[in-house]
Amino acid sequence: MVALFFLLLILLPHAICKPPIVKCHVHDPYTPLHQYHQEGDLIIGGIASHSIIVSSSIAFTENPPPTLLEEIEVVTKNYQHILALQFAVKEINENPQLLPNVTLGFHIYDSYFNAKWTSHATMLLISTLETFVPNYICDNKKNLIAIIGGLDSQTSLHVATILDIYKVPQLIYGPAPVMNDKTPGLVFYQMVRKEDHQYKGILSLLLHFRWIWIGILTFYDENAERFVQTVAPLFSQSGICFAFIERSHKSTYVTEINDMFKLGAKINDRINDSKANVVLFYGESYALAFFRWLPYLSELEQSSNTPKGKVWIMTAQVELTSFVYQRTWDTERLHGVLSFTTHSNDPPGFHKFVKSKTPSNPKGDGFILDFWQQAFGCVFPNRVVGIVKGDICTGQEKLENLPGPFFEMSMTSHSYNIYNAVYAVAHALHAMSTSRGKHRPVMIRGGLKFQNQPLWQLHHFLRGISFNNSAGDKISLDQNGEILAGFDITNWILSSNQSFQRVKVGGVDSLAPPQQALTINEGAIKWHHWFNQTQPKSVCTESCRPGFCRKVKEGEAFCCYDCIPCPEGKISDKEDMNDCYECEDEKYPNKNKTICIPKCATFLSFEEPLGLSLASSALSFAFITALVLEIFVKHRDTPVVKANNRDLTYALLISLLLCFLSALLFIGYPDKVTCLLRQTAFGIIFSVAVSCVLAKTITVVLAFMATKPGSRMRKWVGKGLANSIVLSCSLIQAVICTVWLVISPPFPNADMKSVAEEIVLECNEGTVTFFYCVLGYMGFLALVSFTVAFLARKLPDSFNEAKFITFSMLVFCSVWLSFVPSYMSTKGKYMVAVEIFSILASSAGLLGCIFSPKCYIILLKPELNNREHLIRRKFS
């Protein structure tokens, strides 16, 4: 509203004075309390932020009273800003090469961090010196070429709004004002990089130290709210959570101090109670003076919380400042601060220049007396009405003896920005003087005189300007008027005697790739004493070790989580993983689920105990079968051998021999040939064996039925029927196996899924449908044989082979019925072992149940091996 008032004055249609004929007699309604003038051919304006006016709130019911010196709190640290501008002008005037025969001067006014005084100071710079007449220069013509200011974004915005009308170049040495949609496109030059670059640097710092649980302390104002809205989503996307976001007051009205105290005490307690060891502080340049109230406010409210050390991260705008009443306050809480600052250096001669400043001979410096009084805590007698209380200022006090929070002899970052801004204007003037434009300056006596030079012409030369300053740094502005520079990261080292030292421990190169922008020297950082010089941690939950993953706690920030073990088959090889992951197919997790171990290839081999025992069993049974076959061949003419179709017996024994030997195909490395032969050979051979059993069973039944008088079954009794049964039943199985081999043949395969720690080399059956068809068909033959044999079990003793067949089929069916669930429930090479065992067990059942009684008679009871015994009938 104040800025709008001054703009309306500018646009008044009627002039208050009529230059140059009539002199102006308008009195300035507001006499500036602080100003610093140095005359010159060309004038650089300065908007300093030197003091804060602390007063009672105004009700606007009467004219406000004039501001008294007693209401002013000087930010003594900022007096160096004025000295930096004066020093830069002094150097330029002493340099005959830069602006020969042209003397720079300056006019500096105080903004008082206040919109009214900022607008007033801006109007004074573009109007007359003696009187305040907006839009007019009465009596005294000024060659204002640029204005440097302000320190804070709101101050800069108030200045820019007015200067935009006159096209006066404005160089801002603090953060640039953020313009909304309704703000016109203001033109200014930024001696500080945009805050977005700083936020990315802070994010890189947090991620570097793995500080993911932080707090934010700021103030109730528009810039602070914009800061929170910017960094909150940016940091959250990178895995950083906020333990708290606190906002404090920084009131300059006496009536609001009590409310500020109460709120500040609560904020301080919440910060101390928080587990977050890192706090990001955002505020204006002097905000730290208000922050230093917090521990004292807790004491006033009688808080029982014990202060804890924190890692404070300060944004580039914040300086270590103190008011006069904070002279003896403890600064230990700020030890170890990591501060982002614009890059700065000490120009040669600046330290000596500062030491030479005394209030004895101010030479137009209207700031130095109030600065001196509040910096040294003394008073000048001539500035006090009545009795002088306190120490008397002698003017001989040494600036180098002041504590760091009050003044620094080394050039601060803001002062360095002002220093570079003055040089940028000088180099732009030099460039304009050497150009061949139509408004080229006039050469007089070997020097330059700028006559009637439009101010807007300087804009062209300021954009893209580049020069080397006396501190050895290259200063460049891009075409948008923004400086091309990065940020320094400094470590604040404070001691109990109020000594203050800045140590550069890193930096952010805003022009480098994001991964290389941050540099940090961890060994140079001095942490707060509370951390005992160990790198602080700031996490909501301790890191989850490898082998565990994070599970977010319901209702809490995503940085607060529980650590749960990885499920079976998954690992986590890093800390704080959000989820575990599966190993590659060729690997498996170790016991702790932290690494993947290569799987070893395995198959049922002849070398291992299981394979060796099964192979030995198969060969033993084959040998026994061969012995039985030899016995039957040797006694082929005996009644026992001849009784039940000798050829079927030979065929059954040979098929059983091959069944035992076929088990060997399942042991050893599975190649293409063995995979093709395994199941098909097993299926066909077993079908032949079961077909022989079926044929023998049917032969027994038909033979008994044929003995009845007048039976027509006699014509079916004979070798032809038995051979037909064996051939036809075996042929069906052979057809099934052939179709299987044609459509989806088995093939060698590496199974990486079935067994967690092994790669099982196996024969893939191609399709399990044909495999179960083969088993199903054998089961069907066995079931038919069992049924027929069971029905014929009560035949006369001379034909009691049916009883043995019944029992053998019972064993056979039991083995293969138990095979299916066993086969489905096992994995890897043990599936093969189950099938081999089933083959051996069922074959041994047939061999033992059918042939052991006959071998017993042949070998041990030869007296029973005669025709009379076999034809004897059992009488009831």
Side-chain angles (χ1 to χ4, degrees):
M1 292 297 293
V2 176
L4 181 61
F5 167 74
F6 285 109
L7 285 176
L8 290 174
L9 288 178
I10 293 171
L11 300 176
L12 285 174
H14 299 288
I16 299 176
C17 61
K18 299 179 180 180
I21 299 173
V22 180
K23 287 185 175 292
C24 300
H25 299 283
V26 180
H27 297 286
D28 187 352
Y30 299 103
T31 303
L33 299 175
H34 300 93
Q35 52 188 317
Y36 191 179
H37 294 169
Q38 178 177 306
E39 297 304 326
D41 299 326
L42 301 175
I43 299 298
I44 294 178
I47 303 293
S49 294
H50 181 254
S51 308
I52 300 173
I53 298 175
V54 181
S55 61
S56 300
S57 59
I58 302 173
F60 295 100
T61 57
E62 57 184 2
N63 290 332
T67 302
L68 302 176
L69 292 176
E70 291 79 5
E71 297 175 343
I72 291 177
E73 291 287 350
V74 176
V75 185
T76 56
K77 194 73 161 282
N78 293 355
Y79 180 64
Q80 195 193 85
H81 302 171
I82 298 168
L83 298 182
L85 193 152
Q86 182 189 7
F87 179 70
V89 170
K90 174 178 174 293
E91 279 192 338
I92 293 169
N93 288 337
E94 293 174 353
N95 184 351
Q97 305 299 322
L98 190 56
L99 294 176
N101 280 357
V102 174
T103 302
L104 287 184
F106 56 81
H107 294 167
I108 304 174
Y109 294 97
D110 199 347
S111 71
Y112 300 102
F113 298 93
N114 180 292
K116 178 186 76 172
W117 286 104
T118 300
S119 301
H120 182 220
T122 307
M123 293 304 300
L124 286 173
L125 288 172
I126 60 178
S127 300
T128 183
L129 288 175
E130 289 79 10
T131 57
F132 172 52
V133 184
N135 209 28
Y136 280 84
I137 301 176
C138 299
D139 301 328
N140 185 21
K141 185 176 71 173
K142 295 190 304 182
N143 289 323
L144 179 71
I145 55 172
I147 291 180
I148 298 174
L151 176 58
D152 298 303
S153 60
Q154 285 300 310
T155 301
S156 300
L157 182 60
H158 298 318
V159 175
T161 304
I162 297 174
L163 295 186
D164 184 57
I165 301 171
Y166 297 93
K167 308 305 178 187
V168 178
Q170 177 190 5
L171 291 87
I172 297 172
Y173 61 93
V178 179
M179 295 172 287
N180 54 38
D181 296 338
K182 297 181 180 180
T183 308
L186 305 178
V187 179
F188 44 75
Y189 301 89
Q190 305 170 44
M191 304 309 294
V192 180
R193 286 289 268 176
K194 288 182 179 178
E195 292 189 332
D196 291 346
H197 299 287
Q198 181 185 180
Y199 301 157
K200 293 175 182 177
I202 294 173
L203 175 60
S204 298
L205 180 70
L206 295 174
L207 294 177
H208 175 81
F209 287 110
R210 303 185 69 182
W211 293 331
I212 61 173
W213 184 241
I214 69 168
I216 290 180
L217 177 61
T218 184
F219 294 90
Y220 283 106
D221 60 46
E222 183 180 352
N223 289 333
E225 196 59 38
R226 186 181 293 110
F227 165 77
V228 172
Q229 292 177 1
T230 302
V231 301
L234 176 65
F235 288 9
S236 296
Q237 290 171 6
S238 298
I240 294 174
C241 304
F242 300 98
F244 58 84
I245 299 178
E246 297 292 348
R247 298 170 177 85
S248 181
H249 291 292
K250 53 177 177 28
S251 176
T252 57
Y253 292 119
V254 177
T255 52
E256 298 175 359
I257 295 294
N258 192 44
D259 293 336
M260 186 183 76
F261 281 5
K262 291 181 179 179
L263 177 60
K266 295 178 181 178
I267 290 174
N268 189 67
D269 291 343
R270 284 195 287 266
I271 293 175
N272 282 332
D273 291 340
S274 174
K275 289 171 59 180
N277 287 326
V278 175
V279 184
L280 178 58
F281 183 80
Y282 177 89
E284 296 178 347
S285 57
Y286 63 94
L288 209 55
F290 290 98
F291 163 78
R292 295 185 64 193
W293 271 98
L294 294 183
Y296 292 93
L297 297 178
S298 289
E299 293 178 9
L300 293 174
E301 295 292 325
Q302 298 180 347
S303 172
S304 60
N305 286 351
T306 303
K308 293 192 300 185
K310 302 285 183 183
V311 177
W312 292 91
I313 299 177
M314 304 292 177
T315 53
Q317 184 65 1
V318 179
E319 288 276 7
L320 177 56
T321 54
S322 293
F323 294 127
V324 62
Y325 54 81
Q326 296 174 319
R327 179 175 301 276
T328 60
W329 286 17
D330 184 25
T331 57
E332 192 270 342
R333 191 179 195 184
L334 295 173
H335 178 71
V337 161
L338 294 177
S339 173
F340 278 72
T341 61
T342 52
H343 175 69
S344 62
N345 236 330
D346 257 345
F350 181 71
H351 192 275
K352 181 180 179 181
F353 172 77
V354 173
K355 287 182 67 175
S356 67
K357 293 294 293 185
T358 65
S360 305
N361 187 18
K363 295 182 181 179
D365 186 352
F367 293 89
I368 191 170
L369 294 179
D370 282 337
F371 157 74
W372 206 270
Q373 287 186 144
Q374 297 207 19
F376 291 101
C378 59
V379 292
F380 290 102
N382 59 344
R383 293 178 63 85
V384 178
V385 178
I387 301 174
V388 177
K389 296 180 180 179
D391 298 333
I392 301 297
C393 295
T394 64
Q396 301 304 312
E397 293 84 0
K398 302 295 183 183
L399 288 175
E400 57 265 33
N401 295 334
L402 285 174
F406 285 87
F407 192 79
E408 292 183 58
M409 297 298 291
S410 299
M411 186 173 279
T412 65
S413 59
H414 290 130
S415 298
Y416 192 64
N417 295 338
I418 294 172
Y419 176 81
N420 290 328
V422 176
Y423 264 96
V425 173
H427 280 277
L429 288 171
H430 179 78
M432 187 167 68
S433 70
T434 56
S435 69
R436 296 184 178 182
K438 77 175 185 178
H439 295 291
R440 183 175 179 176
V442 179
M443 300 293 297
I444 299 177
R445 296 179 185 176
L448 294 172
K449 290 297 179 182
F450 293 82
Q451 296 181 347
N452 300 322
Q453 288 294 107
L455 291 175
W456 57 264
Q457 285 192 357
L458 194 60
H459 286 287
H460 172 74
F461 298 96
L462 278 172
R463 293 189 183 95
I465 195 168
S466 181
F467 59 92
N468 292 323
N469 65 15
S470 61
D473 290 332
K474 183 177 181 180
I475 309 300
S476 301
L477 299 181
D478 62 18
Q479 290 301 318
N480 295 321
E482 182 181 355
I483 194 168
L484 300 176
F487 294 90
D488 291 340
I489 301 175
T490 58
N491 187 207
W492 292 1
I493 301 175
L494 296 100
S495 57
S496 56
N497 63 355
Q498 298 258 345
S499 67
F500 173 57
Q501 182 183 4
R502 301 174 189 264
V503 177
K504 182 179 176 181
V505 294
V508 177
D509 185 356
S510 58
L511 302 179
Q515 297 80 8
Q516 305 171 11
L518 177 71
T519 56
I520 194 77
N521 182 5
E522 298 181 22
I525 300 176
K526 300 294 183 183
W527 304 109
H528 191 277
H529 309 303
W530 198 77
F531 299 110
N532 197 24
Q533 202 49 35
T534 58
Q535 181 181 312
K537 292 183 178 181
S538 190
V539 293
C540 180
T541 306
E542 287 297 325
S543 297
C544 291
R545 304 190 310 273
F548 292 79
C549 64
R550 302 192 299 188
K551 181 182 180 183
V552 178
K553 295 180 180 179
E554 188 174 353
E556 297 188 28
F558 62 85
C559 293
C560 302
Y561 47 81
D562 293 320
C563 295
I564 59 173
C566 289
E568 288 298 325
K570 293 186 177 182
I571 71 158
S572 62
D573 55 355
K574 298 178 183 177
E575 290 186 347
D576 290 334
M577 292 193 66
N578 291 323
D579 198 4
C580 303
Y581 64 91
E582 294 181 349
C583 294
E584 299 174 355
D585 290 342
E586 299 84 3
K587 299 179 181 180
Y588 70 97
N590 66 341
K591 183 179 179 181
N592 295 327
K593 302 174 183 176
T594 56
I595 59 173
C596 290
I597 302 174
K599 294 180 179 179
C600 59
T602 182
F603 56 90
L604 188 60
S605 66
F606 291 102
E607 288 79 13
E608 61 181 297
L610 180 60
L612 182 61
S613 61
L614 290 174
S616 300
S617 299
L619 291 174
S620 298
F621 283 120
F623 178 72
I624 294 171
T625 306
L627 287 178
V628 173
L629 179 59
E630 183 182 3
I631 291 171
F632 272 65
V633 172
K634 187 176 181 180
H635 299 85
R636 60 183 177 277
D637 295 325
T638 61
V640 171
V641 177
K642 294 169 63 179
N644 288 103
N645 197 330
R646 184 170 51 193
D647 294 336
L648 276 180
T649 301
Y650 294 159
L652 178 57
L653 285 171
I654 293 172
S655 61
L656 288 176
L657 175 63
L658 294 176
C659 283
F660 288 124
L661 294 178
S662 69
L664 299 177
L665 292 173
F666 292 84
I667 305 174
Y669 184 82
D671 55 26
K672 188 174 182 180
V673 175
T674 56
C675 287
L676 290 173
L677 293 178
R678 274 184 184 184
Q679 302 295 354
T680 53
F682 151 71
I684 294 173
I685 293 170
F686 249 85
S687 296
V688 172
V690 178
S691 299
C692 290
V693 173
L694 177 60
K696 288 177 69 69
T697 307
I698 294 176
T699 300
V700 171
V701 174
L702 292 179
F704 172 73
M705 295 176 66
T707 58
K708 294 180 181 181
S711 175
R712 296 180 180 179
M713 294 297 175
R714 291 185 179 183
K715 63 180 179 179
W716 296 100
V717 177
K719 295 182 180 180
L721 177 62
N723 294 337
S724 300
I725 293 173
V726 173
L727 290 174
S728 60
C729 293
S730 302
L731 184 60
I732 293 173
Q733 185 72 290
V735 171
I736 295 174
C737 291
T738 303
V739 173
W740 184 4
L741 293 177
V742 170
I743 295 178
S744 181
F747 57 90
N749 182 45
D751 182 7
M752 301 180 185
K753 300 291 186 182
S754 299
V755 182
E757 301 177 5
E758 298 174 350
I759 299 175
V760 180
L761 302 180
E762 62 177 9
C763 287
N764 189 299
E765 312 303 347
T767 173
V768 295
T769 303
F770 284 105
F771 175 64
Y772 287 113
C773 285
V774 169
L775 290 181
Y777 180 70
M778 285 193 306
F780 169 73
L781 294 179
L783 184 60
V784 172
S785 298
F786 173 75
T787 303
V788 174
F790 180 78
L791 294 176
R793 72 189 185 283
K794 294 186 179 180
L795 293 177
D797 286 351
S798 57
F799 301 102
N800 61 2
E801 191 178 28
K803 293 181 179 180
F804 303 136
I805 293 174
T806 302
F807 190 69
S808 67
M809 286 295 102
L810 182 61
V811 173
F812 183 91
C813 292
S814 300
V815 169
W816 287 104
L817 285 175
S818 61
F819 161 79
V820 175
S822 301
Y823 186 81
M824 298 296 293
S825 60
T826 53
K827 296 179 180 179
K829 61 184 179 181
Y830 298 104
M831 295 179 68
V832 181
V834 167
E835 187 170 359
I836 295 172
F837 177 80
S838 299
I839 293 172
L840 297 179
S842 58
S843 301
L846 291 177
L847 179 65
C849 293
I850 295 176
F851 294 100
S852 59
K854 295 181 179 181
C855 290
Y856 175 77
I857 293 174
I858 294 171
L859 297 176
L860 301 178
K861 295 290 185 178
E863 67 273 11
L864 300 179
N865 190 6
N866 55 68
R867 182 177 177 80
E868 290 78 13
H869 175 73
L870 293 176
I871 64 174
R872 187 189 313 148
R873 294 182 177 275
K874 187 176 182 179
F875 296 98
S876 43

